[in-house]
Amino acid sequence: MAAAGGEPSCQTVSDELFQNFYTEVKQIEKRDSVLTSKQQIDRLLRPGASYFNLNPFEVLQIDPDATDDELKKRFRALSILVHPDKNQDDPDRAQKAFEAVDKAYKLLLDPEQKKRALDVIHAGKEYVEHMVKEKRKQLKKEGKPQDVEEDDPELFKQAVYKQTMKLFAELEIKRKEREAKDMHERKRAREEEIEAAEKAKREREWQKNFEETRDGRVDSWRNFQAKGKSKEKKNRSFLKPPKVKMEQRE
């Protein structure tokens, strides 16, 4: 299922998508190692860019072992290529591409963020190396030659690339899930806070009304008691037995 804007959903980041992009980009790079402004913009805004661009080294097309000076030079060169001022025939797409480059550069300037990105890249490589070993073990167990396609340096690089991008995508999915969960928890806490405040307000208003009407209730009660006593006296007078007259004897 595709998300809004043609982006693949979190669950459909496929091998085929990575493979097609990898092949396409490598073909372009062989033809033009620098890439033109339009090619760079197309590369940075390709289908699935929200996942491909999670790897800042891929965005900047720079080796993870590059020095800070090399990083700065690469950022300057690439940012000039995709800057909206240089691409006035397509300023909106150029702006989005420039933002992707700027974001990647700022991320790599942060030592902690850069370390996380490097950890993902190293984890991707270690995973592929592990899978290669497992393939060799299985081939040996089956009595077959232990040659695997990853023996080809280019195919090994492709496998590492795809696995690395998967790891970046999985981390992004988890981040979004945590963000959504945190947002839900904050919303629920806020709703509970509002409900508690409204309840406290209702109780204060009830107490205030109770206090303000207390004198009236006391007076009403006194009047009621006074009327009751007056009525009781009248009833007593009405029920009072008549005096008995004594008969006189002659």
Side-chain angles (χ1 to χ4, degrees), residues 23 29-30 55 59-60 73-74 84 121 123 132 174 242 246:
T23 302
E29 288 178 344
K30 288 179 180 178
N55 184 343
V59 172
L60 297 176
K73 289 179 181 179
R74 181 56 186 158
I121 292 172
V132 169
K174 291 179 181 179
M246 298 296 293

Side-chain angles (χ1 to χ4, degrees), residues 184-228:
H184 175 73
E185 291 296 328
R186 288 195 299 270
K187 181 181 179 181
R188 188 181 67 174
R190 180 56 180 163
E191 289 173 349
E192 291 177 352
E193 182 182 340
I194 292 173
E195 176 60 26
E198 290 178 347
K199 182 179 179 181
K201 181 181 179 181
R202 290 193 298 268
E203 291 177 350
R204 288 195 302 269
E205 290 177 349
W206 184 91
Q207 186 65 31
K208 180 180 178 182
N209 292 334
F210 182 83
E211 294 294 334
E212 290 177 347
T213 59
R214 180 168 53 185
D215 292 342
R217 291 196 306 276
V218 171
D219 290 342
S220 296
W221 175 248
R222 287 173 178 170
N223 292 336
F224 173 77
Q225 286 184 318
K227 289 179 180 179

Side-chain angles (χ1 to χ4, degrees), residues 91-204:
D92 293 338
R93 296 181 75 247
Q95 179 63 35
K96 292 179 181 178
F98 177 81
E99 289 172 359
V101 171
D102 186 61
K103 180 180 179 181
Y105 177 63
K106 289 179 178 177
L107 188 149
L108 292 179
L109 287 180
D110 183 329
E112 185 176 346
Q113 295 286 349
K114 182 177 181 179
K115 182 180 182 303
R116 289 178 183 175
L118 287 171
D119 287 344
V120 174
I121 292 172
H122 293 156
K125 183 178 180 181
E126 289 176 356
Y127 178 84
V128 173
E129 290 173 342
H130 171 74
M131 293 306 298
V132 169
K133 289 181 181 179
E134 290 299 313
K135 284 183 180 181
R136 294 190 196 282
K137 287 182 181 179
Q138 184 61 32
L139 291 171
K140 183 178 181 181
K141 183 177 180 181
E142 296 172 357
K144 297 178 181 179
Q146 299 176 35
D147 298 326
V148 295
E149 61 179 6
E150 287 84 4
D151 288 336
D152 183 328
E154 186 62 25
L155 292 178
F156 178 82
K157 188 176 181 180
Q158 287 185 30
V160 172
Y161 174 84
K162 289 189 289 185
Q163 183 59 34
T164 298
M165 296 309 296
K166 282 185 179 180
L167 291 177
F168 273 111
E170 288 171 1
L171 289 174
E172 179 66 5
I173 291 168
K174 291 179 181 179
R175 185 193 69 78
K176 288 182 177 180
E177 288 175 347
R178 288 195 303 270
E179 189 177 78
K181 183 179 179 180
D182 291 344
M183 184 179 297
H184 175 73
E185 291 296 328
R186 288 195 299 270
K187 181 181 179 181
R188 188 181 67 174
R190 180 56 180 163
E191 289 173 349
E192 291 177 352
E193 182 182 340
I194 292 173
E195 176 60 26
E198 290 178 347
K199 182 179 179 181
K201 181 181 179 181
R202 290 193 298 268
E203 291 177 350
R204 288 195 302 269

